Amino acid sequence: MDDELPERLREVEDELTALLRRGRALSWEIASEVHPNLEPNAYGLLLWLRRSGAIRLTDLAARLGVGKGTLSRQIHSLETLGLVRRDPDPNDRRAAQLSLTEEGQRRFDAARAPRLGQIRRALETWPQRDVEELARLLRRFNDAWG
């Protein structure tokens, strides 16, 4: 079993590299569809904001594993484009909660819809339990990595 581990790790790395390459290309494509001046790295940020609704900058920075300064600059850019807003945090007046604007949500959802369709088509012949297992394993991997 131990003799197989290095080859399996190489296989995981190969597949992960292919997935990441595809993901980067997708991020560039979706970012430009959301807004022509949007940086490609902002796609993941928009995804987290779409998923979480309202979230504090410090919490978002921790989830994404980036510094608050870097994230603050990215958020400022998204605010300037009218995609993100800051609202007072009802639990802490010193802090703000970030969320997508209605326009940001509309643009993000419209740009993302075709990609979700591609994923749906790629997995449509898979049994539901396999799709659930894929999501579970990817979540587990991401949690262990970060």
Side-chain angles (χ1 to χ4, degrees):
M1 182 79 172
D2 287 340
D3 292 337
E4 297 173 14
L5 187 62
E7 182 57 31
R8 289 205 174 121
L9 286 177
R10 284 190 286 277
E11 289 173 12
V12 168
E13 181 191 24
D14 290 349
E15 295 304 322
L16 185 58
T17 299
L19 184 62
L20 291 172
R21 184 179 58 245
R22 219 176 245 141
R24 276 191 299 276
L26 212 70
S27 292
W28 279 81
E29 191 176 319
I30 293 174
S32 68
E33 289 177 24
V34 170
H35 194 284
N37 297 331
L38 186 65
E39 293 180 26
N41 294 338
Y43 172 73
L45 183 53
L46 293 174
L47 179 65
W48 272 104
L49 288 171
R50 180 66 173 104
R51 182 182 302 161
S52 57
I55 188 169
R56 290 173 55 161
L57 185 120
T58 53
D59 296 335
L60 185 58
R63 281 190 182 177
L64 296 174
V66 298
K68 289 191 300 184
T70 299
L71 185 58
S72 185
R73 284 188 296 280
Q74 290 176 331
I75 291 295
H76 178 73
S77 174
L78 294 172
E79 286 178 298
T80 301
L81 296 175
L83 303 173
V84 170
R85 71 172 180 261
R86 291 179 200 246
D87 294 311
D89 185 335
N91 300 319
D92 183 353
R93 292 181 181 235
R94 298 167 297 162
Q97 289 188 331
L98 307 168
S99 60
L100 293 179
T101 61
E102 286 183 31
E103 179 69 7
Q105 185 171 321
R106 185 191 65 72
R107 285 175 172 254
F108 180 79
D109 290 349
R112 186 182 185 205
R115 262 46 104 219
L116 290 176
Q118 289 174 320
I119 293 169
R120 181 179 292 116
R121 285 186 296 282
L123 299 175
E124 69 187 356
T125 61
W126 290 33
Q128 184 64 32
R129 70 182 182 283
D130 287 356
V131 175
E132 291 167 359
E133 183 69 358
L134 175 63
R136 185 188 71 75
L137 290 171
L138 287 171
R139 187 177 313 107
R140 181 177 167 196
F141 180 79
N142 282 324
D143 288 347
W145 189 306

